[in-house]
Structures are given as C-alpha cells and as structure tokens.
Amino acid sequence: LTGVEIEKMLPTPNIPLGNIPEAQKYLAEGSHRRLYTFSPEDYKDIAAIWGQGEQALPGDPPGELQVVEGMPDGGKIHELVGEPSAFTPDYAPEEMYEIAAKLTKAMR
C-alpha cells in the first residue's frame, strides 16, 4: 500500500524453502497462502492487501493467496472445568482455626 520495500526495511534471512523439511507438507498443500479472518465482522478489507497475484514466499510454488472468512478447521476446543485448589492447598476448617489460634498467640 505504501510502496515501502519491506525486504530492505526489515532484514530477514533468505532461507531456501527446500532446507526446511518440516515445512514441505504445508507448502505442498498451500496452507501458507491462506489468511483467516477468525471473524465475519473483522478484516473485511484485507483482500485488498493479501492477494493481487503476489507470492506468499520467495520461491513458492504457484498458487493464489486467499482470504478465508472464519477460523481454520481444527480440533474441538473443550470446555474445561476449573479446579479450585489446583495451585493452593486445600485446608480443612479445623486446620485454619488452629493456624489462626497459633498466630494470635504469637502476636501477644
């Protein structure tokens, strides 16, 4: 949008994609070319920036950049139940009374 040459502004290493074996699966399926909005209300105009026949990465296999409305498919997010005493000891009321009595006695 601004005409700034990002490559000159931010010094980033130029690592050939073939040198990253863990990335080959994702490069082959083209998942690095998808930009998710995560919300139907947000980022409505992002397609003006992401796309326009550009490559996602230098040396990238051919493919269009695309904006995908919503979230990527993934695993189910479980509703977790809190554990009230996970990070604090769970004292019995009698123990609390005993501790309070000892502290009161020590103060006098």
Side-chain angles (χ1 to χ4, degrees), residues 6 9 22 27 36 40 59 68-70 72 82 89 91 96 99 105:
I6 297 293
M9 188 173 93
E22 298 83 4
L27 291 170
Y36 293 91
V68 180
E69 188 175 299
Y91 291 109
M96 294 298 288
I99 292 168
K105 185 177 179 181

Side-chain angles (χ1 to χ4, degrees), residues 5-55:
E5 294 183 50
I6 297 293
E7 297 83 13
K8 292 182 181 177
M9 188 173 93
L10 300 171
T12 54
N14 187 8
I15 301 171
L17 298 174
N19 292 357
I20 309 171
E22 298 83 4
Q24 299 310 307
K25 170 186 170 186
Y26 303 104
L27 291 170
E29 71 183 29
S31 61
H32 65 293
R33 292 189 202 103
R34 291 187 290 270
L35 182 64
Y36 293 91
T37 62
F38 287 87
S39 165
E41 295 85 31
D42 297 326
Y43 309 111
K44 291 183 182 278
D45 297 328
I46 197 70
I49 299 169
W50 188 260
Q52 313 302 323
E54 295 180 37
Q55 284 184 310

Side-chain angles (χ1 to χ4, degrees), residues 46-81:
I46 197 70
I49 299 169
W50 188 260
Q52 313 302 323
E54 295 180 37
Q55 284 184 310
L57 300 167
D60 189 25
E64 288 291 317
L65 300 178
Q66 57 182 285
V67 175
V68 180
E69 188 175 299
M71 292 190 286
D73 294 333
K76 178 181 178 186
I77 299 175
H78 300 282
E79 192 66 38
L80 301 176
V81 179

